[in-house]
Amino acid sequence: MRNLQVNGERLWASLMELAQIGATAKGGVCRLAASDLDAEARRLFIRWCEEAGCTVRVDRIGNIFARRAGRNPDLAPVMTGSHLDTQPTGGRFDGAYGVMAGLEIVRTLNDLGYETEAPIEVVAWTNEEGSRFSPAMVGSGVFAGVFDLSYGLERPDNATGVTLGAELERIGFAGSEPVGGHKVAAYFEAHIEQGPILEAAQKPIGVVTGAQGQRWYEITVTGQEAHAGPTPMPRRRDALVGAARMIDAVNRIGHAHAPYACATVGFVQASPNSRNTIPGRVFFTVDFRHPNDVVLTEMDRELRQACDDAAAASGGLEVEVKEFWYFPPTPFDPALVGRVRDAAAALGQPHQDIISGAGHDAVYMARVAPTAMVFVPCVGGISHNEIEDAKPEDLTAGCAVLLNALLESAEQTSRA
Ligand SMILES: [Zn+2]
């Protein structure tokens, strides 16, 4: 381990200058994917990369790759980055931190005159947030072959219907490079945690071992509509009473698999939704998350059992449990995760292993390249909010860990 440091003041200054583009009155950022402001941020990033001696290429879905040459041009690059787009009421660090940390690494290596064996590429992925064009992580998803290019380009703006492809053309970022197909030796992404764990533990570095798996369900409970007055209690088949018992079970399943399980019912619709009619039908959704597929499968079994039991105990209801979406847990590459952990230890930074609760470009990149992530705390665990904040010293520590872990890979490549 080299224990190289980065220039934290320069990193912070770049983050603050970038945050001016789309700055909101409450101190946040609104820089939607493929908007004029996104284009302005992209141009600033490219200018800084070119000033740092990088060669910049843009692919057809608008992903930007800034390459710092290595000693051996035949080697696949070691890549790092994140995204420049934000939520409508987003913060200054989500995404921007990972891109600016990559740029700071290039600047630091330039200061040191450090030549790596493999090239280093700093990437800014298109439309990570998925708030203007859904789904999320479109640029990295197309790069990783999760989505077809045409699917990505045809994503409509949620409000106006204009496509991502048309907007990329308009802002001058429908690039000429084919998407994907260029080999990546390793991918590292630095990101704010967007949760409260590191701050509570007073650890500046989270060694991200993987991302949670998710199972989403749509559940329909059917009973019988009847008059709220003349129908005696023992005669009722009240779908909402059954659904309430099922929703309580969802919450209990989440608690039973602590600390990593998450279990949420976020949408409920009762019908006919009339105050003096016993509900005949209820539709609700379930969102289960866990980093371990075995546990996620056990949660699935418990959900189905709980729904059957609640239906039987509520006057003999019918229940349909439909799995709507499944996203498998993504373990990151053990060797790269080890490099992040070793770099944190060598730099004397308190650190702990952590699982990503949110989706990131790294989750798709893990399908095509060895991947790892570095988390740093954010104040109060708050993100996707204009008050999102992070401490300069934590951002600096995360960037230094990223640099040293990445350098291990950039040199390892030569020995592969
Ligand atoms: Zn992000």
Side-chain angles (χ1 to χ4, degrees), residues 82-83 94-95 128-129 191 194 360:
S82 195
H83 57 97
D94 176 2
E128 191 276 346
E129 293 291 356
H191 208 283
Q194 306 183 283
H360 293 290

Side-chain angles (χ1 to χ4, degrees), residues 28-50:
V29 179
C30 174
R31 199 165 56 226
L32 301 182
S35 63
D36 290 342
L37 290 168
D38 185 19
E40 196 180 333
R42 288 161 170 267
R43 285 193 297 269
L44 178 63
F45 169 60
I46 289 173
R47 176 161 71 73
W48 280 339
C49 290
E50 287 177 341

Side-chain angles (χ1 to χ4, degrees), residues 32-36 38-39 42 132-133 164 167-168 170-171:
L32 301 182
S35 63
D36 290 342
D38 185 19
R42 288 161 170 267
R132 182 182 178 199
F133 305 95
L164 175 57
E167 282 293 88
L168 286 170
R170 187 184 64 79
I171 66 168

